[in-house]
């Protein structure tokens, strides 16, 4: 996100890079007792400066934009690639939930790879061959654990049918734990005398990365199963906030926001906030009308496919809201027809605009701390995949927590599953409690009949 | 655990070790080159904080035996303390677990500060403790909601806290995250990120494990006592066997561990586990799940012991039959499980110890802290326990109990009425199939 800002500045960039190096010098001076400037793992403070980003813009673009000056060329490249990414996004949505899950998985693996590569470079640990294997092994373990939990929840019927799957599901935690332990023991056995500290650093780096990247990507998938709208709207909101804040900052920007990202401004921040709330309000209205987006994704056991068909819940049915008196006088409407989801979208967009940027600042701080310009060079003009997704992470967790707290209760099939595993006496006890509860609510015929 | 071995050495060996350590460090400095040739201040020789009284009592003995006695006495003190708090009941146990967790967290964070020379980042100490609070709030909240369900439903503020628990915890964590971002200072970015990472990994290791221990505790105190005892026993037995029979080194990481100690410890721990389980399985105090009694507002351990804790007949395989002349033997099923627990403690537990040894060597510290005279810090005593707690929890969840019934009811009552009806019908069909419901119900 900061990239957006810094690159828009053109030549001022290089000046900033130099001042970063000065900051580096300050870094060294601040710790004189380091002797020859050795910080932990930083040997000789010589994290080699990231090689200048190779220009991997496709040839065709280069030819088309030959005539323009460097600044505009950059702007056009970024613009074209932004459009490409957004179109790609819509295409994937059209292709359906399975495709989305695969793409999320792909993004997760790429992000993990980018962060681990940075770790290798920072710690010069290319020569520890075991460690690359171990990092990927831990990634597979954690993914196995999370996907197993998801599969058990959502594919309940399918799992009941297949015997080997049943076994895997029942002992899922044990198997995952055993796999993880195997990795842990391999790590301990791979400790080499001269490289203890490095190895522990990489171990910790891997675990923190897993914590950030993998858990979030699974929360994204859980949100997706709730309904594609819970996946599309948050992501679109964050993208919109990025773009709106950039545009407002570009045209009206004056007061700097935070020392960490010098090109962000208060005008951009506030303008982005309001613009995002308004735009997402309308976008939510647009999407709430289609079942394809609104229904929970379910696995149909008969057709062996994902189905998105249902009776839309209350959240996605138009309701009348009476406007407060102030607004009534202003607009002369008494009531307005809204989807309740639009109210929720206001909460989501507020979060994205107010707290989302902190994710961006965190990533900026991280890049400055490790003196890298971008996480990687995957996308021309934009940097790596992590650069595009840094603000999304907090958002995914927030949406998940929001859904579990305010929207839905527990998953009924999961509850039924747990019920069937209990002891018979416990089942009977619960059966009676539930029966009384339902009778009170009038959903079941009263007890009188059964006495007969 | 490695400590046990190193300290047991003689005075001369101690000195020799010191110089060896220093020697290898100097070599290390030249060779480590790229990695960690930073001039870390030599760890000060552990201050002798043995209580005065002990010192006087042992003044007559030579240094080696004095050391041995100090360790022995403190080991006994710790074990007696352990029995004492078991006697005091679940509430006290939970508080002790919480304290141990806080102390371990503090020890590891202090090491982080000294490694990174980050004492001068005042914000960071506050933030680390704040994150500890947040994560504990989250975990305790989940536990409280599960086990104190009726109490929570009664009190209105508790009900709201419980309903929006995740949201509140997340909001608290986010606040800490934003404070961290706002506290980033220009010259110290890298340090701050390191400490942030250090704090989170520590939380992951220390706090989650301590909560798994509490979950195990609620399952029945026996699930808390037996694993911990097995690990302690393995420690002591491996040391004894190594002391008397030790010959072949086990792993380069901990040079004083031997295969003889490892194998001897393995078998003796299994036997110990079987005997201890036999003794404990007889008492409902240990065997019953800890429950919160709403009327008396206290924890009670009263129940009908489950099948696991009732003597059953097992027919011996013919080999054993011919040796011992018995055809069947009366065992608690739990004793069979205890074999699995002790095997894990003996085989995997040491890896936790090697991990901690590697960690100490990596950061060139002798002990995590100086809290316990002769033993080092709290972490030194608990390093093997961590893997054990997770294993026991996973074991229970996979092989012993199903889901917690009160939690299931809770979830049921939170569903929508039509979903409840649907589940009710499925459950009715299921129970009728099993013959638990009279057929009369069907007609009604």
């Amino acid at each position: 996100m900061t990239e957006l800002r810094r690159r828009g500045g053109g030549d001022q960039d290089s000046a900033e890079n130099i001042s970063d190096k000065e900051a580096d010098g300050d870094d060294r001076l601040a710790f004189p007792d380091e002797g020859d400037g050795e910080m932990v793992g930083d040997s000789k403070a010589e994290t080699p400066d990231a090689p200048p980003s190779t220009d991997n813009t496709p040839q065709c673009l280069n030819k088309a934009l030959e005539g323009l000056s460097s600044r505009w060329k950059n702007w056009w490249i970024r613009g074209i690639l932004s459009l490409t990414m957004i179109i790609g996004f819509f295409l994937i949505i059209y292709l359906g939930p399975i495709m989305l899950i695969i793409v999320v998985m792909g993004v997760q693996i790429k992000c993990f790879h980018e962060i681990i590569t940075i770790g290798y470079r920072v710690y010069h640990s290319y020569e520890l061959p075991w460690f690359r294997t171990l990092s990927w092994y831990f990634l597979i373990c954690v993914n196995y654990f999370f996907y197993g939990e998801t599969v058990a929840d959502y594919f309940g019927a399918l799992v009941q049918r297949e015997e080997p799957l049943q076994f895997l599901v029942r002992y899922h935690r044990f198997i995952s734990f055993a796999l993880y332990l195997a990795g842990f023991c391999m790590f301990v056995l791979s400790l080499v005398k001269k490289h203890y500290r490095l190895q522990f650093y990489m171990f910790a780096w891997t675990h923190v990365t897993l914590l950030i990247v993998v858990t979030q990507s699974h929360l994204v998938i859980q949100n997706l199963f709730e309904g594609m709208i819970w996946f599309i709207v948050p992501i679109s909101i964050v993208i919109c906030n990025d773009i709106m804040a950039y545009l407002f900052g570009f045209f009206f920007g004056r007061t700097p926001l935070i020392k960490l990202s010098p090109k962000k401004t208060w005008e951009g921040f506030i303008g982005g906030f309001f613009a995002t709330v308004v735009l997402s309000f309308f976008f939510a209205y647009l999407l709430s009308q289609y079942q394809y987006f609104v229904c929970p994704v379910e696995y149909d056991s008969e057709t062996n496919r994902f189905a998105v068909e249902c009776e839309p819940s209350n959240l996605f049915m138009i309701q009348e809201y009476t406007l407060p008196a102030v607004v009534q006088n202003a607009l002369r409407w008494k009531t307005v027809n809204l989807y309740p989801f639009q109210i929720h979208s206001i909460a989501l967009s507020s979060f994205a605009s107010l707290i989302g940027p902190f994710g961006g600042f965190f990533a900026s701080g991280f890049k400055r701390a490790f003196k890298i310009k971008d996480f990687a060079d995957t996308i021309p003009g934009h940097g790596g995949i992590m650069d595009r997704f840094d603000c999304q992470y907090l958002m995914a967790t927030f949406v998940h927590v929001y859904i579990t707290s305010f929207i839905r209760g527990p998953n009924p099939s999961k509850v039924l599953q747990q019920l069937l595993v209990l002891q018979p006496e416990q089942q009977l006890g619960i059966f009676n409690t539930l029966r009384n509860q339902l009778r009170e609510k009038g959903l079941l015929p009263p007890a009188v009949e059964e006495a007969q | 655990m490695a400590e046990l071995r190193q300290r047991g050495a003689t005075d001369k060996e101690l000195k020799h070790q010191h110089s060896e350590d220093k020697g290898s460090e100097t070599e290390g400095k030249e060779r480590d080159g790229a990695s960690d040739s930073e001039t870390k201040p030599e760890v000060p020789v552990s201050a002798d904080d043995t209580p005065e009284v002990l010192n006087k009592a042992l003044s007559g003995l030579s240094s080696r035996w004095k050391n041995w006695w100090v360790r022995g006495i403190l080991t006994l003190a710790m074990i007696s303390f352990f029995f004492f708090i078991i006697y005091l009941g679940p509430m006290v146990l939970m508080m002790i677990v919480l304290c141990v967790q806080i102390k371990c967290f503090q020890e590891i964070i202090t090491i982080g500060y000294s490694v990174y020379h980050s004492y001068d980042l005042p914000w960071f100490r506050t933030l680390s403790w704040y994150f500890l609070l947040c994560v504990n709030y989250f975990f305790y909240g989940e536990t409280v909601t599960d086990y104190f369900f009726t109490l929570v439903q009664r009190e209105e503020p508790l009900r709201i806290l419980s309903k929006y628990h995740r949201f509140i915890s997340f909001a608290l964590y986010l606040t800490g995250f934003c404070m961290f971002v706002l506290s980033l200072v220009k010259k110290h970015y890298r340090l701050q990120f390191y400490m942030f990472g250090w704090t989170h990994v520590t939380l992951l290791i220390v706090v989650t494990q301590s909560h798994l221990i509490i979950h195990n505790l609620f399952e029945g105190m026996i699930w808390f006592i037996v694993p911990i005892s097995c690990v302690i026993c393995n420690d002591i037995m491996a040391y004894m066997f190594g002391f008397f029979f030790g010959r072949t080194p086990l792993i380069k990481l901990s040079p004083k561990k031997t295969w003889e100690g490892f194998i001897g410890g393995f078998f003796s721990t299994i036997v110990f586990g079987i005997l201890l389980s036999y003794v404990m399985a007889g008492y409902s105090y240990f065997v019953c799940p800890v429950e919160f009694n709403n009327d008396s507002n206290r924890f009670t351990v009263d129940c009908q012991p489950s099948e696991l804790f009732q003597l059953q007949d097992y027919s011996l395989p013919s080999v054993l039959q011919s040796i011992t002349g018995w055809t069947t033997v009366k065992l608690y099923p739990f004793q069979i499980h205890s074999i699995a627990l002790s095997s894990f403690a003996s085989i995997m537990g040491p890896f936790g110890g090697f991990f901690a040894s590697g960690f100490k060597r990596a950061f060139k510290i002798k002990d995590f802290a100086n809290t316990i005279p002769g033993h080092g810090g709290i972490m030194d005593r608990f390093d093997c326990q961590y893997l054990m707690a997770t294993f026991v929890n996973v074991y229970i969840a996979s092989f012993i109990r199903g889901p917690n019934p009160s939690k299931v009811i809770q979830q049921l009552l939170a569903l929508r009425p039509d979903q409840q009806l649907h589940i009710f019908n499925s459950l009715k069909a299921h129970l009728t199939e099993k013959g638990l419901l009279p057929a009369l119900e069907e007609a009604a």
Side-chain angles (χ1 to χ4, degrees), chain A residues 27 42 123 201 418 435 450, chain B residues 116 187 190 194 411 413 441:
Chain A
D27 232 279
D42 255 23
Y123 294 116
Y201 280 150
Q418 290 180 320
R435 189 172 58 182
E450 289 174 43
Chain B
Y116 292 116
K187 297 182 214 159
R190 194 180 290 224
Y194 279 151
Q411 290 179 321
L413 297 176
E441 289 274 0

mmCIF file with all atom_site columns, all heavy atoms in Angstrom, chain A residues 27 42 123 201 418 435 450, chain B residues 116 187 190 194 411 413 441:
data_model
loop_
_atom_site.group_PDB
_atom_site.id
_atom_site.type_symbol
_atom_site.label_atom_id
_atom_site.label_alt_id
_atom_site.label_comp_id
_atom_site.label_asym_id
_atom_site.label_entity_id
_atom_site.label_seq_id
_atom_site.pdbx_PDB_ins_code
_atom_site.Cartn_x
_atom_site.Cartn_y
_atom_site.Cartn_z
_atom_site.occupancy
_atom_site.B_iso_or_equiv
_atom_site.pdbx_formal_charge
_atom_site.auth_seq_id
_atom_site.auth_comp_id
_atom_site.auth_asym_id
_atom_site.auth_atom_id
_atom_site.pdbx_PDB_model_num
ATOM 1   N N   . ASP A 1 27  ? 21.420  3.736   12.983 1.00 0.00 ? 27  ASP A N   1
ATOM 2   C CA  . ASP A 1 27  ? 21.212  2.440   13.623 1.00 0.00 ? 27  ASP A CA  1
ATOM 3   C C   . ASP A 1 27  ? 22.517  1.934   14.189 1.00 0.00 ? 27  ASP A C   1
ATOM 4   O O   . ASP A 1 27  ? 22.608  1.493   15.322 1.00 0.00 ? 27  ASP A O   1
ATOM 5   C CB  . ASP A 1 27  ? 20.719  1.450   12.557 1.00 0.00 ? 27  ASP A CB  1
ATOM 6   C CG  . ASP A 1 27  ? 19.447  0.759   13.007 1.00 0.00 ? 27  ASP A CG  1
ATOM 7   O OD1 . ASP A 1 27  ? 19.362  -0.051  13.646 1.00 0.00 ? 27  ASP A OD1 1
ATOM 8   O OD2 . ASP A 1 27  ? 18.499  1.030   12.731 1.00 0.00 ? 27  ASP A OD2 1
ATOM 9   N N   . ASP A 1 42  ? 22.740  -9.917  12.030 1.00 0.00 ? 42  ASP A N   1
ATOM 10  C CA  . ASP A 1 42  ? 22.841  -8.858  11.047 1.00 0.00 ? 42  ASP A CA  1
ATOM 11  C C   . ASP A 1 42  ? 24.179  -8.758  10.424 1.00 0.00 ? 42  ASP A C   1
ATOM 12  O O   . ASP A 1 42  ? 24.472  -7.760  9.810  1.00 0.00 ? 42  ASP A O   1
ATOM 13  C CB  . ASP A 1 42  ? 22.712  -7.506  11.771 1.00 0.00 ? 42  ASP A CB  1
ATOM 14  C CG  . ASP A 1 42  ? 21.388  -6.938  11.528 1.00 0.00 ? 42  ASP A CG  1
ATOM 15  O OD1 . ASP A 1 42  ? 20.498  -7.732  11.216 1.00 0.00 ? 42  ASP A OD1 1
ATOM 16  O OD2 . ASP A 1 42  ? 21.278  -5.728  11.670 1.00 0.00 ? 42  ASP A OD2 1
ATOM 17  N N   . TYR A 1 123 ? 19.032  -13.638 7.356  1.00 0.00 ? 123 TYR A N   1
ATOM 18  C CA  . TYR A 1 123 ? 19.874  -14.457 8.216  1.00 0.00 ? 123 TYR A CA  1
ATOM 19  C C   . TYR A 1 123 ? 20.929  -15.242 7.464  1.00 0.00 ? 123 TYR A C   1
ATOM 20  O O   . TYR A 1 123 ? 21.597  -16.084 8.051  1.00 0.00 ? 123 TYR A O   1
ATOM 21  C CB  . TYR A 1 123 ? 19.007  -15.409 9.032  1.00 0.00 ? 123 TYR A CB  1
ATOM 22  C CG  . TYR A 1 123 ? 18.137  -14.676 10.004 1.00 0.00 ? 123 TYR A CG  1
ATOM 23  C CD1 . TYR A 1 123 ? 16.757  -14.708 9.906  1.00 0.00 ? 123 TYR A CD1 1
ATOM 24  C CD2 . TYR A 1 123 ? 18.701  -13.926 11.031 1.00 0.00 ? 123 TYR A CD2 1
ATOM 25  C CE1 . TYR A 1 123 ? 15.971  -14.027 10.796 1.00 0.00 ? 123 TYR A CE1 1
ATOM 26  C CE2 . TYR A 1 123 ? 17.922  -13.241 11.918 1.00 0.00 ? 123 TYR A CE2 1
ATOM 27  C CZ  . TYR A 1 123 ? 16.551  -13.301 11.798 1.00 0.00 ? 123 TYR A CZ  1
ATOM 28  O OH  . TYR A 1 123 ? 15.781  -12.631 12.690 1.00 0.00 ? 123 TYR A OH  1
ATOM 29  N N   . TYR A 1 201 ? 16.220  -18.804 15.033 1.00 0.00 ? 201 TYR A N   1
ATOM 30  C CA  . TYR A 1 201 ? 15.572  -17.659 14.413 1.00 0.00 ? 201 TYR A CA  1
ATOM 31  C C   . TYR A 1 201 ? 14.672  -18.085 13.278 1.00 0.00 ? 201 TYR A C   1
ATOM 32  O O   . TYR A 1 201 ? 13.533  -17.640 13.152 1.00 0.00 ? 201 TYR A O   1
ATOM 33  C CB  . TYR A 1 201 ? 16.605  -16.682 13.871 1.00 0.00 ? 201 TYR A CB  1
ATOM 34  C CG  . TYR A 1 201 ? 17.198  -15.792 14.919 1.00 0.00 ? 201 TYR A CG  1
ATOM 35  C CD1 . TYR A 1 201 ? 18.497  -15.319 14.797 1.00 0.00 ? 201 TYR A CD1 1
ATOM 36  C CD2 . TYR A 1 201 ? 16.485  -15.406 16.039 1.00 0.00 ? 201 TYR A CD2 1
ATOM 37  C CE1 . TYR A 1 201 ? 19.054  -14.504 15.742 1.00 0.00 ? 201 TYR A CE1 1
ATOM 38  C CE2 . TYR A 1 201 ? 17.038  -14.601 16.999 1.00 0.00 ? 201 TYR A CE2 1
ATOM 39  C CZ  . TYR A 1 201 ? 18.316  -14.149 16.850 1.00 0.00 ? 201 TYR A CZ  1
ATOM 40  O OH  . TYR A 1 201 ? 18.872  -13.340 17.790 1.00 0.00 ? 201 TYR A OH  1
ATOM 41  N N   . GLN A 1 418 ? -21.533 -33.391 16.771 1.00 0.00 ? 418 GLN A N   1
ATOM 42  C CA  . GLN A 1 418 ? -21.054 -33.563 18.135 1.00 0.00 ? 418 GLN A CA  1
ATOM 43  C C   . GLN A 1 418 ? -22.049 -34.364 18.957 1.00 0.00 ? 418 GLN A C   1
ATOM 44  O O   . GLN A 1 418 ? -21.682 -35.208 19.772 1.00 0.00 ? 418 GLN A O   1
ATOM 45  C CB  . GLN A 1 418 ? -20.837 -32.196 18.795 1.00 0.00 ? 418 GLN A CB  1
ATOM 46  C CG  . GLN A 1 418 ? -19.669 -31.450 18.226 1.00 0.00 ? 418 GLN A CG  1
ATOM 47  C CD  . GLN A 1 418 ? -19.485 -30.107 18.917 1.00 0.00 ? 418 GLN A CD  1
ATOM 48  O OE1 . GLN A 1 418 ? -20.455 -29.420 19.219 1.00 0.00 ? 418 GLN A OE1 1
ATOM 49  N NE2 . GLN A 1 418 ? -18.254 -29.735 19.161 1.00 0.00 ? 418 GLN A NE2 1
ATOM 50  N N   . ARG A 1 435 ? -36.294 -30.928 24.092 1.00 0.00 ? 435 ARG A N   1
ATOM 51  C CA  . ARG A 1 435 ? -37.731 -31.115 23.907 1.00 0.00 ? 435 ARG A CA  1
ATOM 52  C C   . ARG A 1 435 ? -38.500 -30.106 24.739 1.00 0.00 ? 435 ARG A C   1
ATOM 53  O O   . ARG A 1 435 ? -39.446 -29.474 24.274 1.00 0.00 ? 435 ARG A O   1
ATOM 54  C CB  . ARG A 1 435 ? -38.115 -32.543 24.292 1.00 0.00 ? 435 ARG A CB  1
ATOM 55  C CG  . ARG A 1 435 ? -39.543 -32.866 23.915 1.00 0.00 ? 435 ARG A CG  1
ATOM 56  C CD  . ARG A 1 435 ? -39.828 -34.323 24.129 1.00 0.00 ? 435 ARG A CD  1
ATOM 57  N NE  . ARG A 1 435 ? -39.589 -34.729 25.504 1.00 0.00 ? 435 ARG A NE  1
ATOM 58  C CZ  . ARG A 1 435 ? -39.731 -35.976 25.930 1.00 0.00 ? 435 ARG A CZ  1
ATOM 59  N NH1 . ARG A 1 435 ? -40.087 -36.925 25.099 1.00 0.00 ? 435 ARG A NH1 1
ATOM 60  N NH2 . ARG A 1 435 ? -39.497 -36.285 27.184 1.00 0.00 ? 435 ARG A NH2 1
ATOM 61  N N   . GLU A 1 450 ? -48.479 -37.043 24.702 1.00 0.00 ? 450 GLU A N   1
ATOM 62  C CA  . GLU A 1 450 ? -47.632 -38.222 24.875 1.00 0.00 ? 450 GLU A CA  1
ATOM 63  C C   . GLU A 1 450 ? -48.028 -39.051 26.066 1.00 0.00 ? 450 GLU A C   1
ATOM 64  O O   . GLU A 1 450 ? -47.736 -40.229 26.135 1.00 0.00 ? 450 GLU A O   1
ATOM 65  C CB  . GLU A 1 450 ? -46.179 -37.800 25.023 1.00 0.00 ? 450 GLU A CB  1
ATOM 66  C CG  . GLU A 1 450 ? -45.626 -37.296 23.709 1.00 0.00 ? 450 GLU A CG  1
ATOM 67  C CD  . GLU A 1 450 ? -44.249 -36.746 23.886 1.00 0.00 ? 450 GLU A CD  1
ATOM 68  O OE1 . GLU A 1 450 ? -43.465 -37.375 24.597 1.00 0.00 ? 450 GLU A OE1 1
ATOM 69  O OE2 . GLU A 1 450 ? -43.973 -35.681 23.307 1.00 0.00 ? 450 GLU A OE2 1
ATOM 70  N N   . TYR B 2 116 ? 18.698  -8.749  22.861 1.00 0.00 ? 116 TYR B N   1
ATOM 71  C CA  . TYR B 2 116 ? 18.549  -7.650  21.917 1.00 0.00 ? 116 TYR B CA  1
ATOM 72  C C   . TYR B 2 116 ? 18.875  -6.287  22.509 1.00 0.00 ? 116 TYR B C   1
ATOM 73  O O   . TYR B 2 116 ? 18.646  -5.275  21.859 1.00 0.00 ? 116 TYR B O   1
ATOM 74  C CB  . TYR B 2 116 ? 17.131  -7.638  21.357 1.00 0.00 ? 116 TYR B CB  1
ATOM 75  C CG  . TYR B 2 116 ? 16.861  -8.810  20.478 1.00 0.00 ? 116 TYR B CG  1
ATOM 76  C CD1 . TYR B 2 116 ? 15.908  -9.754  20.824 1.00 0.00 ? 116 TYR B CD1 1
ATOM 77  C CD2 . TYR B 2 116 ? 17.568  -8.995  19.305 1.00 0.00 ? 116 TYR B CD2 1
ATOM 78  C CE1 . TYR B 2 116 ? 15.664  -10.843 20.019 1.00 0.00 ? 116 TYR B CE1 1
ATOM 79  C CE2 . TYR B 2 116 ? 17.326  -10.078 18.500 1.00 0.00 ? 116 TYR B CE2 1
ATOM 80  C CZ  . TYR B 2 116 ? 16.376  -11.000 18.859 1.00 0.00 ? 116 TYR B CZ  1
ATOM 81  O OH  . TYR B 2 116 ? 16.139  -12.072 18.062 1.00 0.00 ? 116 TYR B OH  1
ATOM 82  N N   . LYS B 2 187 ? 14.919  4.499   14.664 1.00 0.00 ? 187 LYS B N   1
ATOM 83  C CA  . LYS B 2 187 ? 16.192  3.788   14.647 1.00 0.00 ? 187 LYS B CA  1
ATOM 84  C C   . LYS B 2 187 ? 16.069  2.345   15.111 1.00 0.00 ? 187 LYS B C   1
ATOM 85  O O   . LYS B 2 187 ? 17.009  1.587   15.067 1.00 0.00 ? 187 LYS B O   1
ATOM 86  C CB  . LYS B 2 187 ? 17.184  4.489   15.576 1.00 0.00 ? 187 LYS B CB  1
ATOM 87  C CG  . LYS B 2 187 ? 17.521  5.884   15.169 1.00 0.00 ? 187 LYS B CG  1
ATOM 88  C CD  . LYS B 2 187 ? 18.552  6.457   16.151 1.00 0.00 ? 187 LYS B CD  1
ATOM 89  C CE  . LYS B 2 187 ? 18.355  7.934   16.367 1.00 0.00 ? 187 LYS B CE  1
ATOM 90  N NZ  . LYS B 2 187 ? 18.976  8.379   17.629 1.00 0.00 ? 187 LYS B NZ  1
ATOM 91  N N   . ARG B 2 190 ? 14.019  -2.721  13.574 1.00 0.00 ? 190 ARG B N   1
ATOM 92  C CA  . ARG B 2 190 ? 14.304  -4.146  13.540 1.00 0.00 ? 190 ARG B CA  1
ATOM 93  C C   . ARG B 2 190 ? 14.169  -4.752  14.929 1.00 0.00 ? 190 ARG B C   1
ATOM 94  O O   . ARG B 2 190 ? 13.546  -5.796  15.125 1.00 0.00 ? 190 ARG B O   1
ATOM 95  C CB  . ARG B 2 190 ? 15.688  -4.402  12.969 1.00 0.00 ? 190 ARG B CB  1
ATOM 96  C CG  . ARG B 2 190 ? 15.889  -5.862  12.614 1.00 0.00 ? 190 ARG B CG  1
ATOM 97  C CD  . ARG B 2 190 ? 17.245  -6.125  12.061 1.00 0.00 ? 190 ARG B CD  1
ATOM 98  N NE  . ARG B 2 190 ? 17.430  -5.550  10.746 1.00 0.00 ? 190 ARG B NE  1
ATOM 99  C CZ  . ARG B 2 190 ? 18.005  -6.191  9.724  1.00 0.00 ? 190 ARG B CZ  1
ATOM 100 N NH1 . ARG B 2 190 ? 18.402  -7.420  9.888  1.00 0.00 ? 190 ARG B NH1 1
ATOM 101 N NH2 . ARG B 2 190 ? 18.174  -5.600  8.576  1.00 0.00 ? 190 ARG B NH2 1
ATOM 102 N N   . TYR B 2 194 ? 11.715  -7.706  16.145 1.00 0.00 ? 194 TYR B N   1
ATOM 103 C CA  . TYR B 2 194 ? 12.221  -8.922  16.774 1.00 0.00 ? 194 TYR B CA  1
ATOM 104 C C   . TYR B 2 194 ? 11.493  -9.186  18.083 1.00 0.00 ? 194 TYR B C   1
ATOM 105 O O   . TYR B 2 194 ? 11.084  -10.306 18.374 1.00 0.00 ? 194 TYR B O   1
ATOM 106 C CB  . TYR B 2 194 ? 13.709  -8.801  17.064 1.00 0.00 ? 194 TYR B CB  1
ATOM 107 C CG  . TYR B 2 194 ? 14.574  -9.076  15.872 1.00 0.00 ? 194 TYR B CG  1
ATOM 108 C CD1 . TYR B 2 194 ? 15.818  -8.464  15.745 1.00 0.00 ? 194 TYR B CD1 1
ATOM 109 C CD2 . TYR B 2 194 ? 14.174  -9.940  14.877 1.00 0.00 ? 194 TYR B CD2 1
ATOM 110 C CE1 . TYR B 2 194 ? 16.622  -8.707  14.659 1.00 0.00 ? 194 TYR B CE1 1
ATOM 111 C CE2 . TYR B 2 194 ? 14.972  -10.185 13.786 1.00 0.00 ? 194 TYR B CE2 1
ATOM 112 C CZ  . TYR B 2 194 ? 16.201  -9.570  13.684 1.00 0.00 ? 194 TYR B CZ  1
ATOM 113 O OH  . TYR B 2 194 ? 17.003  -9.807  12.612 1.00 0.00 ? 194 TYR B OH  1
ATOM 114 N N   . GLN B 2 411 ? -24.507 -24.570 22.453 1.00 0.00 ? 411 GLN B N   1
ATOM 115 C CA  . GLN B 2 411 ? -24.579 -24.270 21.035 1.00 0.00 ? 411 GLN B CA  1
ATOM 116 C C   . GLN B 2 411 ? -25.981 -24.493 20.503 1.00 0.00 ? 411 GLN B C   1
ATOM 117 O O   . GLN B 2 411 ? -26.496 -23.726 19.692 1.00 0.00 ? 411 GLN B O   1
ATOM 118 C CB  . GLN B 2 411 ? -23.599 -25.155 20.262 1.00 0.00 ? 411 GLN B CB  1
ATOM 119 C CG  . GLN B 2 411 ? -22.159 -24.786 20.515 1.00 0.00 ? 411 GLN B CG  1
ATOM 120 C CD  . GLN B 2 411 ? -21.212 -25.688 19.751 1.00 0.00 ? 411 GLN B CD  1
ATOM 121 O OE1 . GLN B 2 411 ? -21.451 -26.885 19.640 1.00 0.00 ? 411 GLN B OE1 1
ATOM 122 N NE2 . GLN B 2 411 ? -20.164 -25.114 19.223 1.00 0.00 ? 411 GLN B NE2 1
ATOM 123 N N   . LEU B 2 413 ? -28.796 -24.207 22.077 1.00 0.00 ? 413 LEU B N   1
ATOM 124 C CA  . LEU B 2 413 ? -29.730 -23.154 22.466 1.00 0.00 ? 413 LEU B CA  1
ATOM 125 C C   . LEU B 2 413 ? -29.478 -21.859 21.706 1.00 0.00 ? 413 LEU B C   1
ATOM 126 O O   . LEU B 2 413 ? -30.318 -20.977 21.680 1.00 0.00 ? 413 LEU B O   1
ATOM 127 C CB  . LEU B 2 413 ? -29.651 -22.902 23.970 1.00 0.00 ? 413 LEU B CB  1
ATOM 128 C CG  . LEU B 2 413 ? -30.055 -24.111 24.814 1.00 0.00 ? 413 LEU B CG  1
ATOM 129 C CD1 . LEU B 2 413 ? -29.851 -23.831 26.286 1.00 0.00 ? 413 LEU B CD1 1
ATOM 130 C CD2 . LEU B 2 413 ? -31.501 -24.474 24.559 1.00 0.00 ? 413 LEU B CD2 1
ATOM 131 N N   . GLU B 2 441 ? -43.126 -42.755 21.864 1.00 0.00 ? 441 GLU B N   1
ATOM 132 C CA  . GLU B 2 441 ? -42.793 -41.392 21.445 1.00 0.00 ? 441 GLU B CA  1
ATOM 133 C C   . GLU B 2 441 ? -43.101 -41.200 19.979 1.00 0.00 ? 441 GLU B C   1
ATOM 134 O O   . GLU B 2 441 ? -43.579 -40.180 19.546 1.00 0.00 ? 441 GLU B O   1
ATOM 135 C CB  . GLU B 2 441 ? -41.290 -41.134 21.656 1.00 0.00 ? 441 GLU B CB  1
ATOM 136 C CG  . GLU B 2 441 ? -40.904 -41.032 23.103 1.00 0.00 ? 441 GLU B CG  1
ATOM 137 C CD  . GLU B 2 441 ? -41.095 -39.616 23.638 1.00 0.00 ? 441 GLU B CD  1
ATOM 138 O OE1 . GLU B 2 441 ? -41.531 -38.752 22.849 1.00 0.00 ? 441 GLU B OE1 1
ATOM 139 O OE2 . GLU B 2 441 ? -40.824 -39.377 24.812 1.00 0.00 ? 441 GLU B OE2 1
#
